[in-house]
Amino acid sequence: PVVKRLQSSVVILDSPHHHQQQHRNIMTSTSSNDDDNTSTPPQLAQQSVSDFCTALASKQPTPGGGAAAAVGAALGGAAASMSAAYTQRKKDVESGAAAHATTLQAQIDITALLQMADDDQQAYQALQATWKKDCALTPDEIAAVQARALEVPTVLVQACHARIVAIHNFLPHCNSQITSDAKVGIHQLAGGGGGGG
């Protein structure tokens, strides 16, 4: 059911309005936004969990829900990666399960998910700048900023869906004593994808 819900989100977001995403490698990278007129904020991934939560809870526009969704997805990816790390026993190697585990770890790419939190923060800051009366951007530049603001959550939804499918496919090979952690990964990623959409 979780996979189907995320598939529905991907179908909705993979509309003509988002056709440029069709060729994006969502498993390993996200696009950068070098044209932002805002200063680059500190990487959220470098903050402690406590500091991030404090910033998120404060009365300021960023980080916001999109960044929270991406960080939640990264936590889910980490939980799933742990289940793969524990599927490296001798019998897992002999059965081929360890190879599936190694593949999953490569597919999760926690760093890319954390980068999406920064992408969301930067995209929203750039969007906010277009609302100011003294905004000097041209209509085309504003349209590009708006498109970027829509692109970032779309990429997150697609990335979460791809990782959920990868974990789902890994589950039959997972160390049976730690499948609950892999399932935590699925649900965290589902939450991240739902928040991103």
Side-chain angles (χ1 to χ4, degrees):
V2 171
V3 174
K4 289 183 179 179
R5 286 199 299 273
L6 264 293
Q7 284 174 333
S8 297
S9 297
V10 170
V11 169
I12 292 171
L13 289 169
D14 195 23
S15 65
H17 295 291
H18 304 287
H19 66 279
Q20 293 180 344
Q21 294 305 312
Q22 292 175 355
H23 301 293
R24 182 176 301 278
N25 185 346
I26 59 173
M27 289 299 292
T28 58
S29 65
T30 60
S31 61
S32 62
N33 189 14
D34 297 329
D35 297 327
D36 281 355
N37 291 328
T38 57
S39 60
T40 302
Q43 290 190 349
L44 297 178
Q46 303 305 314
Q47 296 183 13
S48 69
V49 173
S50 177
D51 287 346
F52 176 74
C53 288
T54 298
L56 183 62
S58 65
K59 189 179 179 180
Q60 59 184 24
T62 60
V71 170
L75 290 173
S81 291
M82 179 180 65
S83 71
Y86 276 99
T87 309
Q88 298 289 348
R89 301 162 298 180
K90 181 179 179 180
K91 64 180 181 180
D92 295 324
V93 173
E94 293 172 348
S95 69
H100 289 283
T102 300
T103 297
L104 177 66
Q105 288 175 311
Q107 291 174 319
I108 291 296
D109 194 353
I110 298 168
T111 300
L113 291 170
L114 289 172
Q115 179 59 46
M116 292 178 200
D118 281 323
D119 290 345
D120 180 84
Q121 178 167 262
Q122 293 167 18
Y124 190 73
Q125 286 179 335
L127 182 63
Q128 275 194 309
T130 68
W131 299 337
K132 296 180 179 180
K133 292 181 179 180
D134 60 351
C135 178
L137 297 180
T138 66
D140 285 345
E141 289 172 333
I142 291 175
V145 170
Q146 293 171 337
R148 174 63 177 163
L150 290 173
E151 174 190 34
V152 171
T154 300
V155 171
L156 176 59
V157 171
Q158 293 174 326
C160 288
H161 173 256
R163 287 160 174 78
I164 287 171
V165 171
I167 299 169
H168 178 77
N169 292 337
F170 167 69
L171 276 175
H173 310 283
C174 183
N175 180 335
S176 61
Q177 296 180 347
I178 201 166
T179 54
S180 61
D181 295 274
K183 292 175 181 178
V184 165
I186 288 177
H187 288 286
Q188 281 285 121
L189 283 157

